[in-house]
C-alpha cells in the first residue's frame, strides 16, 4: 500500500524501553530509576505519555531485576495508560521483539507503535504529536536533530572521511512505526545470523529497504541520560526549564477551590493578596497572614504553627499553603549590618523551612500542596544582593528535595519563579521603573493558582511577560535583566 493511502490507525501504543542496568557507567541502580526533580527518570517519561492525547496505551519494558520497582512507580503515580510492565530482553533488539509479541493481539495495519528510551525524560508533546501525525502517511518515522559538530570517520585513530555536515542528523526517540511494518522487518532480521542493530529504524532500513523512513524534527532538550554528567545536566534542565503548567478556566477554579482551605503567608499585598483574592472568589476559605496585618512573623516557628492551627481549627482541613513573604535589601555583603544578614536568612530561607515542617501534617491529610517562591537570581548570584540570590537558590533546592521526601505521602511542593514583578517589595528596593517593563502581580497569582490545582511536584515554574527565546528577549538591556524579585 503506498504511503499516502494508509488506513487510519485505531490505536497508538507507546513502548517505553527501560531495560538498561546502569553498569556500563558504574551505577548500582538503573539510570531510569535515578531521581531528577523529585521523581525517577522513568516516572518523568511515563508522565509525558500519560498526558499525550495521541497515545492510547503505554507498555514499559523494564530491566528484569526491577520490574516490581517500575510497577510500584506506576501504581503510586496513578498512571492509567500503563497497561503492563514487562521484563526486557538481553539486548535492545530482543526487548523490541518481546514488545512486539505483547502487541500480537492488535491489528497490525491499523496500530501505531512508538518506541521511546525511558532515559529521555524531556520529550515534548509536539514531538509525539508529529510522530503520530506522520504515521498517517508514512510507515516508519524517526526523530532527529541537525548535527552542530563536524562528524569525522576514523580508522585506527586516523581520519578517513569528513561527511558533509548538512546531510547529517543526530537520532533521537521515539521511533514510530505501523505495527505491521516493524513486525515484518524483525521477522526478516531474525533470519539473518549476523543480525545486530542499535535501534529499530536501522532494522527497517536494512531489512525493509523499500519502506521510506520519514524524519521529524527533534529537540535539543530531548537528551538521553547516558553518562553521569548527563544526570547533572538533566537535573539542571529540569531546574531551569519552565514546567508545562495547565491553564485553568474560571469553572475549573471553582471546581478545584470550592470548599478548600488555603493559608497564604504574605497575603496582605502583592502576589500573596492576588492569590488570596482569586481563591476566595472561587469558593476557597482563605486565611491571610502577614507581619503588617496579623503580626505573623514567618521567621518565627511559633507564629507559623499558630497560624496553621487557627486555619485548621476553623475549617477542619488545609489543602494549600502559600508563602510569598520575603525581604530584599540591595547592598554589598561587606557593608551589610549583621542584623540585616540574619533577617534575610531567617525570612527568605528559614521561614520556608519552618512553614514546610509545620504544614506537612496538615497537607498529608488532604494530599495538598505547598507553594514557595524563588527569583531569577537563583541561577546565578548577582552583585549587591548576594543574600537574596543565595537564599532563593536554597529555596529551589529545598523544593526539589522535599518533593522527593514527600512523594510517598502524596504531598506536593512547587516553586514559582517570576521574572521582574510589580510588587511593593520590588518598588521599595528599586524605586519607580518604566511602565510596562514589569510583570503584573495578578499574572503571577493566576499562574500560582494553576500550579496549586495541578498534579505537578518538584518543579520550578517560570512566569514571564514574553517568550524568553523570542526576538524581544535578546533586546533586553542590562537594567531589565536585573534580578527578578517579586
Amino acid at each position: 500500500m503506498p504511503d499516502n493511502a494508509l488506513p487510519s490507525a485505531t490505536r497508538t501504543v507507546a513502548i517505553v524501553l527501560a531495560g538498561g542496568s546502569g553498569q556500563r557507567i558504574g551505577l548500582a541502580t538503573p539510570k531510569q530509576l535515578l531521581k531528577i526533580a523529585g521523581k525517577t527518570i522513568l516516572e518523568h517519561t511515563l508522565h509525558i505519555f500519560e498526558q499525550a492525547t495521541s497515545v492510547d496505551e503505554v507498555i514499559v519494558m523494564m530491566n528484569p531485576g526491577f520490574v516490581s520497582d517500575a510497577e510500584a512507580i506506576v501504581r503510586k503515580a496513578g498512571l492509567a495508560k500503563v497497561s503492563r510492565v514487562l521484563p526486557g530482553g538481553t539486548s535492545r533488539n530482543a526487548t523490541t521483539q518481546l514488545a512486539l509479541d505483547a502487541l500480537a493481539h492488535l491489528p497490525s495495519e491499523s496500530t501505531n507503535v512508538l518506541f521511546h528510551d525511558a532515559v529521555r525524560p524531556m520529550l515534548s508533546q509536539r514531538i509525539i504529536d508529529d510522530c503520530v501525525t506522520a504515521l498517517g502517511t508514512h510507515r516508519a518515522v524517526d526523530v532527529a536533530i541537525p548535527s552542530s559538530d563536524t562528524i569525522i570517520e576514523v580508522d585506527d585513530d586516523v581520519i578517513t572521511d569528513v561527511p558533509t555536515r548538512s546531510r547529517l542528523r543526530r537520532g533521537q526517540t521515539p521511533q514510530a512505526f505501523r505495527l505491521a511494518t516493524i513486525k515484518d522487518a524483525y521477522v526478516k532480521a531474525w533470519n539473518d545470523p549476523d543480525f545486530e542493530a542499535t535501534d529499530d529504524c536501522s532494522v527497517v532500513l536494512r531489512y525493509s529497504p523499500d519502506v521510506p523512513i520519514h524524519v521529524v524534527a527533534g529537540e535539543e532538550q530531548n537528551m538521553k541520560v547516558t553518562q553521569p554528567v548527563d544526570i547533572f545536566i538533566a537535573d539542571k534542565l529540569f531546574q531551569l526549564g519552565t514546567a508545562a503548567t495547565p491553564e485553568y478556566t474560571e469553572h475549573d477554579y471553582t471546581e478545584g477551590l470550592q470548599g478548600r482551605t488555603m493559608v497564604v503567608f504574605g497575603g496582605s499585598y502583592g502576589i500573596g493578596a492576588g492569590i488570596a483574592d482569586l481563591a476566595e472568589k472561587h469558593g476557597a476559605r482563605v486565611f491571610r497572614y502577614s507581619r503588617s496585618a496579623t503580626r505573623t512573623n514567618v521567621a518565627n516557628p511559633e507564629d507559623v504553627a499558630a497560624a496553621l492551627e487557627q486555619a485548621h481549627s476553623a475549617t477542619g482541613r488545609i489543602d494549600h499553603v502559600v508563602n510569598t513573604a520575603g525581604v530584599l535589601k540591595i547592598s554589598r555583603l561587606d557593608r551589610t549590618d549583621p542584623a540585616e544578614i540574619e533577617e534575610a536568612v531567617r525570612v527568605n530561607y528559614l521561614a520556608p523551612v519552618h512553614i514546610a515542617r509545620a504544614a506537612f501534617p496538615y497537607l498529608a491529610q488532604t494530599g495538598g500542596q505547598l507553594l514557595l517562591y524563588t527569583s531569577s537570581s537563583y541561577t546565578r548570584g548577582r552583585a549587591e544582593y548576594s543574600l537574596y540570590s543565595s537564599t532563593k537558590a536554597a529555596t529551589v533546592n529545598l523544593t526539589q528535595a522535599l518533593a522527593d521526601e514527600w512523594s510517598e505521602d502524596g504531598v506536593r511542593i512547587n516553586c514559582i519563579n517570576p521574572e521582574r514583578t510589580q510588587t511593593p517589595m520590588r518598588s521599595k528596593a528599586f524605586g519607580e521603573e518604566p511602565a510596562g517593563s514589569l510583570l503584573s502581580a495578578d499574572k503571577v497569582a493566576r499562574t500560582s493558582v494553576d500550579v496549586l490545582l495541578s498534579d505537578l511536584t518538584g518543579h520550578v515554574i517560570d512566569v514571564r511577560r514574553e517568550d524568553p527565546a523570542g526576538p524581544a528577549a535578546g533586546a533586553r538591556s542590562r537594567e531589565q535583566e536585573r534580578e527578578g524579585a517579586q
Side-chain angles (χ1 to χ4, degrees), residues 91-153:
S91 68
R92 167 66 180 266
N93 305 133
T95 299
T96 295
Q97 185 60 60
L98 289 171
L100 295 176
D101 293 343
L103 300 178
H105 63 290
L106 295 175
S108 295
E109 284 294 342
S110 58
T111 299
N112 293 332
V113 57
L114 279 60
F115 292 94
H116 184 68
D117 299 323
V119 289
R120 291 187 187 270
M122 288 174 281
L123 172 68
S124 72
Q125 296 296 329
R126 194 274 302 166
I127 292 177
I128 296 174
D129 291 341
D130 283 359
C131 286
V132 175
T133 298
L135 286 176
T137 52
H138 302 275
R139 290 185 169 276
V141 177
D142 202 356
V143 174
I145 58 176
S147 175
S148 57
D149 298 315
T150 297
I151 306 299
I152 61 175
E153 291 185 12

Side-chain angles (χ1 to χ4, degrees), residues 17 32 53 69 88 90 101 108 118 229 235 304 364 373 394 414 443-444:
L17 302 167
Q32 58 272 25
T53 57
D69 297 80
T90 56
D101 293 343
S108 295
V229 68
D235 192 61
V304 170
Y373 289 77
N414 290 290
K443 180 173 181 179
V444 181

Side-chain angles (χ1 to χ4, degrees), residues 13 26 58 84 117 140 178 324 334 338 343 373 378 422 443 454 484:
V13 182
V58 180
R84 284 171 285 180
D117 299 323
R178 282 303 175 100
T324 66
D334 54 31
E343 181 189 24
Y373 289 77
Y378 87 87
Q422 181 63 60
K443 180 173 181 179
S454 76

Side-chain angles (χ1 to χ4, degrees), residues 324-389:
T324 66
V327 295
L328 170 63
K329 180 174 176 58
I330 307 301
S331 67
R332 288 170 53 104
L333 182 62
D334 54 31
R335 298 173 185 170
T336 304
D337 185 83
E340 293 178 342
I341 293 175
E342 182 174 348
E343 181 189 24
V345 174
R346 283 169 55 84
V347 174
N348 293 338
Y349 181 62
L350 290 181
V353 171
H354 297 320
I355 290 170
R357 279 173 52 87
F360 174 78
Y362 300 109
L363 297 176
Q365 294 175 1
T366 60
Q369 181 180 159
L370 171 62
L371 191 61
L372 303 177
Y373 289 77
T374 186
S375 152
S376 61
S377 66
Y378 87 87
T379 62
R380 181 179 60 83
R382 296 187 173 89
E384 298 191 346
Y385 36 98
S386 56
L387 288 173
Y388 190 78
S389 299

Side-chain angles (χ1 to χ4, degrees), residues 78-389:
L79 298 167
K81 287 186 181 179
V82 179
S83 60
R84 284 171 285 180
V85 178
L86 303 175
T90 56
S91 68
R92 167 66 180 266
N93 305 133
T95 299
T96 295
Q97 185 60 60
L98 289 171
L100 295 176
D101 293 343
L103 300 178
H105 63 290
L106 295 175
S108 295
E109 284 294 342
S110 58
T111 299
N112 293 332
V113 57
L114 279 60
F115 292 94
H116 184 68
D117 299 323
V119 289
R120 291 187 187 270
M122 288 174 281
L123 172 68
S124 72
Q125 296 296 329
R126 194 274 302 166
I127 292 177
I128 296 174
D129 291 341
D130 283 359
C131 286
V132 175
T133 298
L135 286 176
T137 52
H138 302 275
R139 290 185 169 276
V141 177
D142 202 356
V143 174
I145 58 176
S147 175
S148 57
D149 298 315
T150 297
I151 306 299
I152 61 175
E153 291 185 12
V154 299
D155 184 6
D156 196 22
D157 293 333
V158 175
I159 294 178
T160 59
D161 192 17
V162 182
T164 303
R165 190 171 67 184
S166 63
R167 300 184 67 243
L168 299 177
R169 299 288 186 274
R170 288 185 285 149
Q172 299 183 331
T173 63
Q175 293 185 333
F177 310 90
R178 282 303 175 100
L179 181 57
T181 299
I182 190 64
K183 285 174 66 174
D184 181 65
Y186 265 88
V187 168
K188 297 172 181 175
W190 292 122
N191 289 325
D192 180 357
D194 298 322
F195 169 49
E196 183 178 353
T198 58
D199 72 302
D200 298 311
C201 277
S202 62
V203 177
V204 172
L205 183 65
R206 181 174 178 182
Y207 296 100
S208 298
D210 58 321
V211 176
I213 302 174
H214 181 71
V215 178
V216 303
E219 295 169 352
E220 287 286 351
Q221 62 264 35
N222 184 26
M223 64 175 290
K224 184 177 183 180
V225 178
T226 303
Q227 302 297 330
V229 68
D230 297 331
I231 298 170
F232 173 80
I233 293 171
D235 192 61
K236 286 299 178 185
L237 288 174
F238 269 108
Q239 188 182 76
L240 296 173
T242 303
T245 310
E247 294 184 2
Y248 293 103
T249 65
E250 296 296 310
H251 174 74
D252 294 330
Y253 285 158
T254 302
E255 287 276 310
L257 294 169
Q258 186 78 41
R260 301 294 193 269
T261 299
M262 179 182 295
V263 175
V264 182
F265 293 100
S268 295
Y269 56 81
I271 296 169
I275 293 169
D277 291 344
L278 186 58
E280 284 181 339
K281 174 184 174 182
H282 292 280
R285 182 78 181 272
V286 180
F287 293 80
R288 311 178 191 220
Y289 297 98
S290 66
R291 187 174 294 188
S292 60
T294 62
R295 296 185 179 180
T296 301
N297 182 357
V298 292
N300 186 331
E302 288 76 19
D303 284 5
V304 170
L308 293 169
E309 173 59 28
Q310 181 185 50
H312 187 266
S313 296
T315 65
R317 62 186 298 137
I318 297 178
D319 301 275
H320 308 293
V321 176
V322 179
N323 177 43
T324 66
V327 295
L328 170 63
K329 180 174 176 58
I330 307 301
S331 67
R332 288 170 53 104
L333 182 62
D334 54 31
R335 298 173 185 170
T336 304
D337 185 83
E340 293 178 342
I341 293 175
E342 182 174 348
E343 181 189 24
V345 174
R346 283 169 55 84
V347 174
N348 293 338
Y349 181 62
L350 290 181
V353 171
H354 297 320
I355 290 170
R357 279 173 52 87
F360 174 78
Y362 300 109
L363 297 176
Q365 294 175 1
T366 60
Q369 181 180 159
L370 171 62
L371 191 61
L372 303 177
Y373 289 77
T374 186
S375 152
S376 61
S377 66
Y378 87 87
T379 62
R380 181 179 60 83
R382 296 187 173 89
E384 298 191 346
Y385 36 98
S386 56
L387 288 173
Y388 190 78
S389 299

